[in-house]
Amino acid sequence: MKASFVSSSAINQAMRYSLMKTQAALVNAQKEQATGFFADKGLALGASTSQSVTFNREVERMKGIVASNALATTRLTATQNALGQVSTAAQSFLSILHTAMTGDSTASVTKDMATDALKTMTSVLNTGVNGEFIFAGVNTDAKPINDYSAPGSPAKAAYDAAYAQYLADTGADPADPFPTAADMNAFLDTYVEPQFTGAGWDNWSNASDQSISSRISLNETTETSASANNDGFRKLAMATTMISELMSGDLPSDARKALVDRAWALVSDSISDIVNLQSKTGIAEKRVADASERLNTQTGLIEKHILATEGVDPLEANTRVADLLSHIETSYAITARIQQLSLLKFLS
């Protein structure tokens, strides 16, 4: 006769091991129920896992570019608004110059308008968005334009030095430095213009000529900022500075006419340059918007493919979670019954 026995401890351990496996399966099932995707993609997809990784990486890359495009759009919109403000100030100043050319405006009014236009341009070009100066080119942490009227202004110091040099070179009388139109034009051409078209512009600007270039799609980049070094701003700065420094009721009529004519030509060219910059900015805004729309469409298509490849049936996931919970509850009940087994109870 062979004696056999049943160990309640062995049964308990077997139930415990089964319960642990069920709990691990429940964790994955609940994850799939919550996300709608396989909990272990490598196990579910096998050889197709690398393709899945590639698709997911492309989706994340495109979403990153779309987010970057949103920042570029904000910068371009702010740039467009700023250009509109500078253009409006230039238009108002041009109107005053036209009035001055006909002799219907006093020197003080024309001079005040020049000063106001210069202050407006300086303020607008120093506009910041998200902690970056939008007209600084790639030097986004540097204030683009130095305030001409600020104490210690390098631009004002350079102008005063140029004026002193003119007096020294020509021997002109400080009380009547520009007796003729030729004298005025000589001063403007030789001593003033280089401060705005040459190396002297460094006294005004801290911006870089290079604008910010952004990747707006997988294979496309574009400039998404403007620089304070644009010719339109230089010409407007020169015209407003000329008038604010030189316009006076004491100027001989010929010299005054030469001064106003020169300022009028500069402001007219400036407005044209700013309009061109506005058009360029508008084109960049359109390209960014179109690129974001294409990326969103591509992202949607790839996400559909990812869902078809990695997605789980929501109904099946819910059913599996319910079955596993039921299994676990049953295991708990059986384990509790086993723990209550007693030899003394059996013998009695």
Short mmCIF file of all heavy atoms in Angstrom, two decimals, residues 117-145:
data_model
loop_
_atom_site.label_atom_id
_atom_site.label_comp_id
_atom_site.label_asym_id
_atom_site.label_seq_id
_atom_site.Cartn_x
_atom_site.Cartn_y
_atom_site.Cartn_z
N ALA A 117 9.30 110.73 -34.09
CA ALA A 117 9.42 109.58 -34.99
C ALA A 117 10.64 108.74 -34.63
O ALA A 117 10.58 107.49 -34.66
CB ALA A 117 9.52 110.07 -36.44
N LEU A 118 11.74 109.39 -34.27
CA LEU A 118 12.95 108.65 -33.89
C LEU A 118 12.72 107.86 -32.60
O LEU A 118 13.14 106.71 -32.47
CB LEU A 118 14.12 109.63 -33.72
CG LEU A 118 15.45 109.00 -33.30
CD1 LEU A 118 15.89 107.94 -34.32
CD2 LEU A 118 16.54 110.08 -33.18
N LYS A 119 12.03 108.48 -31.63
CA LYS A 119 11.74 107.79 -30.37
C LYS A 119 10.81 106.60 -30.61
O LYS A 119 10.99 105.53 -30.02
CB LYS A 119 11.11 108.76 -29.38
CG LYS A 119 12.09 109.77 -28.80
CD LYS A 119 11.40 110.69 -27.78
CE LYS A 119 12.41 111.65 -27.15
NZ LYS A 119 11.76 112.58 -26.20
N THR A 120 9.82 106.80 -31.50
CA THR A 120 8.91 105.69 -31.81
C THR A 120 9.67 104.54 -32.45
O THR A 120 9.49 103.37 -32.06
CB THR A 120 7.80 106.17 -32.75
OG1 THR A 120 7.04 107.19 -32.10
CG2 THR A 120 6.88 105.03 -33.14
N MET A 121 10.50 104.85 -33.41
CA MET A 121 11.26 103.79 -34.09
C MET A 121 12.16 103.06 -33.09
O MET A 121 12.24 101.82 -33.09
CB MET A 121 12.10 104.38 -35.22
CG MET A 121 12.78 103.32 -36.07
SD MET A 121 14.04 103.96 -37.19
CE MET A 121 15.40 104.19 -36.05
N THR A 122 12.83 103.81 -32.23
CA THR A 122 13.72 103.19 -31.24
C THR A 122 12.95 102.27 -30.31
O THR A 122 13.37 101.13 -30.05
CB THR A 122 14.44 104.28 -30.41
OG1 THR A 122 15.17 105.13 -31.29
CG2 THR A 122 15.38 103.65 -29.41
N SER A 123 11.80 102.74 -29.83
CA SER A 123 10.99 101.94 -28.91
C SER A 123 10.48 100.67 -29.58
O SER A 123 10.54 99.58 -29.00
CB SER A 123 9.83 102.78 -28.39
OG SER A 123 8.96 102.01 -27.60
N VAL A 124 9.97 100.83 -30.80
CA VAL A 124 9.39 99.67 -31.50
C VAL A 124 10.47 98.64 -31.85
O VAL A 124 10.27 97.43 -31.70
CB VAL A 124 8.66 100.14 -32.77
CG1 VAL A 124 8.26 98.95 -33.62
CG2 VAL A 124 7.42 100.95 -32.40
N LEU A 125 11.62 99.11 -32.31
CA LEU A 125 12.68 98.16 -32.69
C LEU A 125 13.25 97.43 -31.47
O LEU A 125 13.88 96.38 -31.61
CB LEU A 125 13.81 98.89 -33.42
CG LEU A 125 13.44 99.45 -34.80
CD1 LEU A 125 14.68 100.03 -35.48
CD2 LEU A 125 12.83 98.37 -35.68
N ASN A 126 13.03 97.97 -30.29
CA ASN A 126 13.50 97.29 -29.07
C ASN A 126 12.40 96.42 -28.46
O ASN A 126 12.49 96.04 -27.29
CB ASN A 126 13.99 98.32 -28.05
CG ASN A 126 15.32 98.94 -28.46
OD1 ASN A 126 16.10 98.32 -29.17
ND2 ASN A 126 15.58 100.16 -28.01
N THR A 127 11.40 96.09 -29.26
CA THR A 127 10.32 95.22 -28.79
C THR A 127 10.85 93.81 -28.52
O THR A 127 11.68 93.28 -29.27
CB THR A 127 9.20 95.13 -29.85
OG1 THR A 127 8.67 96.43 -30.05
CG2 THR A 127 8.11 94.17 -29.41
N GLY A 128 10.36 93.22 -27.42
CA GLY A 128 10.77 91.85 -27.08
C GLY A 128 9.56 90.92 -27.02
O GLY A 128 8.47 91.34 -26.65
N VAL A 129 9.77 89.67 -27.41
CA VAL A 129 8.73 88.64 -27.33
C VAL A 129 9.34 87.40 -26.71
O VAL A 129 10.38 86.91 -27.18
CB VAL A 129 8.17 88.30 -28.74
CG1 VAL A 129 7.22 87.10 -28.66
CG2 VAL A 129 7.45 89.50 -29.33
N ASN A 130 8.70 86.91 -25.66
CA ASN A 130 9.20 85.71 -24.96
C ASN A 130 10.65 85.88 -24.52
O ASN A 130 11.46 84.94 -24.61
CB ASN A 130 9.08 84.47 -25.86
CG ASN A 130 7.64 84.12 -26.16
OD1 ASN A 130 6.77 84.32 -25.33
ND2 ASN A 130 7.39 83.60 -27.35
N GLY A 131 11.00 87.10 -24.09
CA GLY A 131 12.35 87.33 -23.58
C GLY A 131 13.40 87.54 -24.66
O GLY A 131 14.59 87.61 -24.35
N GLU A 132 12.97 87.65 -25.93
CA GLU A 132 13.92 87.85 -27.02
C GLU A 132 13.58 89.14 -27.78
O GLU A 132 12.40 89.44 -27.97
CB GLU A 132 13.89 86.67 -27.99
CG GLU A 132 14.30 85.35 -27.37
CD GLU A 132 14.25 84.22 -28.37
OE1 GLU A 132 13.62 84.40 -29.43
OE2 GLU A 132 14.84 83.16 -28.10
N PHE A 133 14.60 89.88 -28.17
CA PHE A 133 14.39 91.08 -28.98
C PHE A 133 14.20 90.65 -30.43
O PHE A 133 15.09 90.03 -31.03
CB PHE A 133 15.58 92.03 -28.84
CG PHE A 133 15.71 92.62 -27.47
CD1 PHE A 133 16.68 92.17 -26.59
CD2 PHE A 133 14.85 93.63 -27.05
CE1 PHE A 133 16.81 92.71 -25.32
CE2 PHE A 133 14.97 94.18 -25.78
CZ PHE A 133 15.94 93.73 -24.91
N ILE A 134 13.04 90.99 -31.00
CA ILE A 134 12.68 90.44 -32.31
C ILE A 134 13.42 91.11 -33.47
O ILE A 134 13.44 90.58 -34.57
CB ILE A 134 11.16 90.55 -32.55
CG1 ILE A 134 10.68 92.01 -32.48
CG2 ILE A 134 10.41 89.69 -31.55
CD1 ILE A 134 9.20 92.17 -32.78
N PHE A 135 14.03 92.29 -33.24
CA PHE A 135 14.77 92.94 -34.33
C PHE A 135 16.29 92.85 -34.10
O PHE A 135 17.04 93.62 -34.69
CB PHE A 135 14.36 94.41 -34.45
CG PHE A 135 13.00 94.60 -35.05
CD1 PHE A 135 11.89 94.78 -34.27
CD2 PHE A 135 12.83 94.57 -36.43
CE1 PHE A 135 10.63 94.94 -34.82
CE2 PHE A 135 11.58 94.73 -37.01
CZ PHE A 135 10.47 94.91 -36.19
N ALA A 136 16.72 91.94 -33.26
CA ALA A 136 18.15 91.84 -32.95
C ALA A 136 18.87 90.83 -33.84
O ALA A 136 20.05 90.56 -33.63
CB ALA A 136 18.33 91.45 -31.48
N GLY A 137 18.18 90.28 -34.83
CA GLY A 137 18.81 89.23 -35.63
C GLY A 137 19.04 88.00 -34.77
O GLY A 137 18.15 87.59 -34.04
N VAL A 138 20.25 87.45 -34.85
CA VAL A 138 20.55 86.27 -34.01
C VAL A 138 21.05 86.70 -32.63
O VAL A 138 21.20 85.85 -31.75
CB VAL A 138 21.60 85.37 -34.69
CG1 VAL A 138 21.06 84.79 -35.98
CG2 VAL A 138 22.90 86.13 -34.95
N ASN A 139 21.31 88.01 -32.43
CA ASN A 139 21.72 88.50 -31.09
C ASN A 139 20.48 88.80 -30.26
O ASN A 139 20.24 89.93 -29.84
CB ASN A 139 22.57 89.77 -31.23
CG ASN A 139 23.83 89.54 -32.04
OD1 ASN A 139 24.33 88.42 -32.11
ND2 ASN A 139 24.34 90.59 -32.65
N THR A 140 19.67 87.77 -30.01
CA THR A 140 18.35 87.98 -29.44
C THR A 140 18.36 88.51 -28.01
O THR A 140 17.34 88.95 -27.50
CB THR A 140 17.54 86.67 -29.46
OG1 THR A 140 18.31 85.64 -28.82
CG2 THR A 140 17.25 86.24 -30.89
N ASP A 141 19.53 88.43 -27.34
CA ASP A 141 19.59 88.92 -25.96
C ASP A 141 20.13 90.34 -25.87
O ASP A 141 20.28 90.88 -24.78
CB ASP A 141 20.45 87.99 -25.10
CG ASP A 141 21.87 87.88 -25.64
OD1 ASP A 141 22.08 88.23 -26.82
OD2 ASP A 141 22.76 87.44 -24.90
N ALA A 142 20.42 90.97 -27.02
CA ALA A 142 20.98 92.33 -27.03
C ALA A 142 19.92 93.31 -27.53
O ALA A 142 19.27 93.06 -28.55
CB ALA A 142 22.21 92.39 -27.93
N LYS A 143 19.77 94.45 -26.82
CA LYS A 143 18.81 95.47 -27.25
C LYS A 143 19.26 96.00 -28.61
O LYS A 143 20.39 96.50 -28.74
CB LYS A 143 18.74 96.59 -26.22
CG LYS A 143 17.66 97.62 -26.53
CD LYS A 143 17.59 98.68 -25.43
CE LYS A 143 16.94 98.12 -24.18
NZ LYS A 143 16.70 99.16 -23.17
N PRO A 144 18.43 95.92 -29.63
CA PRO A 144 18.89 96.21 -31.01
C PRO A 144 19.37 97.64 -31.24
O PRO A 144 20.40 97.86 -31.86
CB PRO A 144 17.66 95.90 -31.86
CG PRO A 144 16.82 95.00 -31.04
CD PRO A 144 17.05 95.41 -29.62
N ILE A 145 18.60 98.63 -30.73
CA ILE A 145 18.90 100.03 -31.06
C ILE A 145 19.22 100.82 -29.79
O ILE A 145 18.47 100.76 -28.81
CB ILE A 145 17.70 100.68 -31.79
CG1 ILE A 145 17.55 100.06 -33.18
CG2 ILE A 145 17.89 102.17 -31.93
CD1 ILE A 145 18.69 100.37 -34.13
#
